[in-house]
Amino acid sequence: QSALTQPASVSGSPGQSITISCTGTSSDVGAYNYVSWYQQHPGKAPKLMIYEVSNRPSGVSNRFSGSKSGNTASLTISGLQAEDEADYYCSSYTSSSSLVFGGGTKMTVL
Amino acid sequence: QITLKESGPTLVKPTQTLTLTCLFSGFSLTSSGVGVGWIRQPPGKALEWLAFIYYNDDKRYSPSLRSRLTITKDTSKNQVVLTMTNMDPVDTGTYYCVHPKRRFPALDDWGQGTLVGVSS
């Protein structure tokens, strides 16, 4: 099971919007609406930000949104804030009833 | 309030078997749809899913690690145990216990993680 493909890094200025892509295959991202996104600050456990492609858990800012087209999912963060600087990971359910993560994206607020 | 806490050795030798325990509270692993899983993260690297066990003892494993993993539950103790055989230095990392509030694979709740090193 190959990892999902994410850009190694993205950056943006406060107030701007950024988008992180997550590319899989027709056996994972393209096959199911079970894509999740996690935020991880240094030394902390990951936090669920988006589930089932575009749903936000209670308490997650509406500045975070998710979408999917074909085999690629995306996480958009609007109105960038300093506290958004973190690593972001996507994940997807797979046709082998397993879970696969992306390689992670380091998001820097300039 | 849901909590999960991992425990186990901080250091194991190559070829040894690792046994990790997740002690959880705030939910019951006997309730329909409920499950608990394990994720690991090597230092400075990406997350990797390992295993998941459902309330009905249905189990799921990472295809690449299936032969080395066993996940079990003890509902009377609110514990889930993960064993990984034939440990290697590449298995060094932080191991997290996880729980989805809705359903797998959306992992809402995470333990603090436990760091395991593999070295002779």
Side-chain angles (χ1 to χ4, degrees), chain A residues 34 36 38 40 44-46 48 51-52 57-58 89 93 96-99 101-103, chain B residues 39 41 45-49 60-61 63 96 102-108 110-112:
Chain A
Y34 288 132
S36 303
Y38 300 86
Q40 186 179 34
K44 300 294 187 182
L48 179 67
Y51 68 96
E52 293 175 9
S58 174
Y89 294 93
Y93 188 70
S96 56
S97 300
S98 63
L99 180 62
F101 281 94
Chain B
I39 306 287
Q41 185 173 36
K45 296 189 177 181
L47 302 169
E48 181 181 17
W49 176 70
R60 298 282 185 261
Y61 294 103
Y96 295 100
R102 299 161 199 79
R103 60 185 165 193
F104 183 81
L107 307 173
D108 300 81
W110 293 65
Q112 62 187 24

Side-chain angles (χ1 to χ4, degrees), chain B residues 1-115:
Chain B
Q1 181 191 3
I2 290 174
T3 64
L4 305 108
K5 185 164 185 177
E6 307 87 350
S7 62
T10 56
L11 185 67
V12 298
K13 290 179 167 41
T15 76
Q16 286 187 335
T17 294
L18 171 68
T19 299
L20 295 174
T21 300
C22 173
L23 179 63
F24 59 86
S25 64
F27 65 92
S28 172
L29 201 37
T30 61
S31 300
S32 179
V34 176
V36 172
W38 289 90
I39 306 287
R40 72 176 179 179
Q41 185 173 36
K45 296 189 177 181
L47 302 169
E48 181 181 17
W49 176 70
L50 299 177
F52 194 82
I53 187 166
Y54 288 94
Y55 72 105
N56 60 358
D57 214 37
D58 187 13
K59 302 168 186 178
R60 298 282 185 261
Y61 294 103
S62 164
S64 61
L65 294 168
R66 178 186 303 273
S67 63
R68 299 174 54 205
L69 296 173
T70 302
I71 188 169
T72 60
K73 61 181 174 65
D74 185 332
T75 53
S76 66
K77 295 181 180 178
N78 277 0
Q79 288 181 351
V80 170
V81 174
L82 181 76
T83 61
M84 180 180 290
T85 60
N86 195 25
M87 292 292 285
D88 182 271
V90 301
D91 296 314
T92 292
T94 298
Y95 287 71
Y96 295 100
C97 179
V98 295
H99 165 258
K101 276 191 170 66
R102 299 161 199 79
R103 60 185 165 193
F104 183 81
L107 307 173
D108 300 81
D109 303 306
W110 293 65
Q112 62 187 24
T114 185
L115 180 60

